[in-house]
Amino acid sequence: MIRTLVLGGAGVLCTASAALAQDRGHVAVTPYVEVGQSLIADLNNDDVLTYSSLAAGIDVASTTRRVQGQLSYRYERRFSWDKAVGDDDIHYGLARLSAHVAPGLSLEAGGIATRTRADIRGAAPGIVTANDANISQIYAVFGGPSYATHAGPVAVAASYLAGYTKVKVPTFTGLPAGSPRLDYYDSSFGQVAGVSLGVNPGDVAPVGATLSTGWNREDAGQLDGRFESWRVRGDVLAPVSPYVALTAGLGYERIETSQRSPLFTSPGAPALDSSGRYVTDDSSPRRIAYRTDGVYYDAGVVWRPNRRASAEAHVGKRYGSISYTGLVTYRASRSATIAADAYDTVTTFGQQLRSGLNSLPTSFISARDAFTQQYNGCVFSTSGSTPGGCLNDVFQSITTASYRARGVDAVFSATRGRNTYGGGVGYANRRLYNPDTVQGVTLYGIEDQSVYGQLFFNRTLTAVSSIDATVFVNYYEPGAARSAGVWSYGATTSYGRRFGRITTSASAGLYAFDLPDVDTQWSAQAQVAARYSF
């Protein structure tokens, strides 16, 4: 699985870039090896641990006329100096690719390997190290074609995406003894397809119109979970001035999520496999977790005063209640962009992760040090066309339940002379859907939520040296009975200097998280490393 992610992602970028080498642009492939020495200090207990690391990685970037993409992958082996820090194999990586294969035909693909928080009630370490509690390793990949053409005045578009997500069992969650356990996410395979027909205002009638249909299915390994939906929708767009248009849409959709029951070794005691996941009772009936079947509608306004700015807002009735969505983008200059998004959808962890990856830019800032190169928060763009995106709403916790996800994200990035900086802030709310008739599964119809913020700064000091810093804060509210909110915050800084093919770095970080009824847990980290690039 890991080799497929790494070699497959690198192969897609390298092969596509080589095949299109005649296109004007730039292709860079930089493999490297790195050695490092790290120190972890538990400031509450005056305990200091150390470990050494040996890493190998590759950075690939393509900016040709037909292929835009980037891959940054790092495998790290950690060697403990103390029994409290285990020998670990760590994988971090992010890949995004957009390729124009033929006239009208494009390919989108991407993947991620990271470690992130598992249980929203548990420990919330700031930067994931070797022995942190409540951490799972995650892998996800997606890809598929899209096609766009015209039949007279009618714009025709079709797309298909397929993806796979795998989550390893988390480490000790740090919850008090006796806390009810949640079932562990295993894997999922999802598919999304859509077709649309549309005409612009003035081409056929004074108003524009679009007819679209879509299908979405995901099959999960834990308790044979299933998500399936399809929809058909019509939209109209009516300009009222050169910069403003009114829009309205009416659609019909059907969504159903379901799962089976676990086996029981005795009444009230579900059977577990060797990984601690529930064993599925294949003979049990499929139980519905969530279902909606009916008409939904919305109306809104679109404002585009110039090529650099756009905004739209929609309000309507969907999922049985009022629904609000919107999008704002502003490109202040070639190197400075702001974007904000309000969303409302019924989804799953696997779907939301793959959708979040698909919205990330094909050119992103790849952090130099191991402290911040984890890709489980905000990812900032290297160009001014898009600021980047945040995955915090996905990674607030990992759940096997389907849920209604609502929230707001805002991201900005800018480059001014030697300085590059960016930030992300957001709010995420999830209402979990799980059959209350399935004994042993302690997922309930609750709402959990989180608030998050992150700032990034980098300054090029000389032609061979630079310094960067990151600060972040997260708040998690589980929503479960007898579970209070959890805070996580911290800051990191790093200095790097290049000597030919060798790059040295020195990094430091200070972090804290607050669990209910537990003193604030403070920790500090430091690392020195040397990298040789081939």
Side-chain angles (χ1 to χ4, degrees), residues 172-485:
F172 170 67
T173 59
L175 293 171
S179 299
R181 73 181 298 275
L182 304 182
D183 54 336
Y184 297 146
Y185 196 100
D186 184 11
S187 63
S188 66
F189 175 74
Q191 305 173 77
V192 182
V195 177
S196 69
L197 305 173
V199 292
N200 291 322
D203 288 349
V204 176
V207 300
T210 302
L211 177 65
S212 61
T213 183
W215 170 78
N216 188 353
R217 166 130 181 186
E218 182 182 70
D219 294 281
Q222 179 65 244
L223 296 179
D224 194 19
R226 179 184 297 169
F227 178 105
E228 188 163 26
S229 72
W230 65 268
R231 62 172 177 82
V232 61
R233 175 185 171 103
D235 291 270
V236 294
L237 181 71
V240 295
S241 80
Y243 312 115
V244 178
L246 300 179
T247 181
L250 176 69
Y252 174 85
E253 70 179 345
R254 175 183 173 87
I255 303 174
E256 183 176 286
T257 67
S258 62
Q259 65 186 54
R260 300 189 189 277
S261 299
L263 284 171
F264 287 86
T265 56
S266 61
L272 304 178
D273 63 16
S274 59
S275 298
R277 296 188 176 95
Y278 291 118
V279 177
T280 305
D281 182 356
D282 294 326
S283 64
S284 65
R286 182 165 292 279
R287 302 184 183 274
I288 303 301
Y290 174 79
R291 176 186 287 161
T292 184
D293 187 356
V295 173
Y296 69 102
Y297 55 87
D298 60 66
V301 59
V302 179
W303 178 56
R304 294 178 180 170
N306 52 56
R307 294 182 178 181
R308 297 189 301 169
S310 67
E312 58 182 278
H314 304 264
V315 61
K317 184 75 174 292
R318 195 173 188 183
Y319 311 129
S321 66
I322 300 298
S323 175
Y324 303 92
T325 59
L327 177 65
V328 177
T329 60
Y330 176 60
R331 188 174 181 181
S333 67
R334 289 186 175 182
S335 58
T337 308
I338 301 173
D341 175 35
Y343 58 89
D344 184 358
T345 183
V346 172
T347 187
T348 65
F349 173 79
Q351 292 180 69
Q352 193 178 18
L353 174 56
R354 294 188 293 267
S355 177
L357 290 175
N358 194 22
S359 66
L360 293 181
T362 55
S363 178
F364 52 86
I365 295 174
S366 178
R368 179 183 57 254
D369 62 281
F371 286 179
T372 54
Q373 192 175 4
Q374 302 193 24
Y375 304 116
N376 53 16
C378 295
V379 177
F380 300 106
S381 174
T382 59
S383 67
S385 59
T386 175
C390 295
L391 300 176
N392 304 67
D393 56 345
V394 187
F395 289 139
Q396 68 176 13
S397 70
I398 303 170
T399 177
T400 60
S402 59
Y403 49 86
R404 182 177 180 180
R406 289 174 286 183
V408 179
D409 275 311
V411 185
F412 77 92
S413 66
T415 299
R416 291 287 185 271
R418 295 185 176 186
N419 300 323
T420 300
Y421 50 92
V425 64
Y427 165 77
N429 175 283
R430 300 185 305 183
R431 180 171 180 81
L432 303 180
Y433 300 126
N434 203 77
D436 56 9
T437 57
V438 181
Q439 285 185 313
V441 181
T442 55
L443 290 174
Y444 13 70
I446 65 169
E447 290 190 32
D448 61 30
Q449 55 191 344
S450 65
V451 181
Y452 45 89
Q454 181 178 333
L455 293 173
F456 165 80
F457 174 80
N458 172 272
R459 178 172 176 81
T460 300
L461 302 176
T462 68
V464 295
S465 64
S466 65
I467 188 170
D468 58 57
T470 299
V471 296
F472 64 89
V473 60
N474 302 290
Y475 174 73
Y476 309 99
E477 189 172 291
R482 300 183 300 277
S483 296

Side-chain angles (χ1 to χ4, degrees), residues 71-91:
L71 177 143
S72 179
Y73 170 76
R74 173 189 179 95
Y75 163 75
E76 183 176 319
R77 175 66 179 176
R78 294 174 175 174
F79 305 92
S80 65
W81 285 32
D82 187 284
K83 63 181 180 181
V85 181
D87 292 338
D88 295 73
D89 292 306
I90 310 298
H91 301 267

Side-chain angles (χ1 to χ4, degrees), residues 30-35 55 57 499-503 530-534:
T30 308
Y32 65 85
V33 293
E34 181 179 296
V35 294
F499 301 90
R501 292 182 176 269
I502 298 177
T503 302
R531 172 183 299 189
Y532 181 84
S533 300
F534 296 93

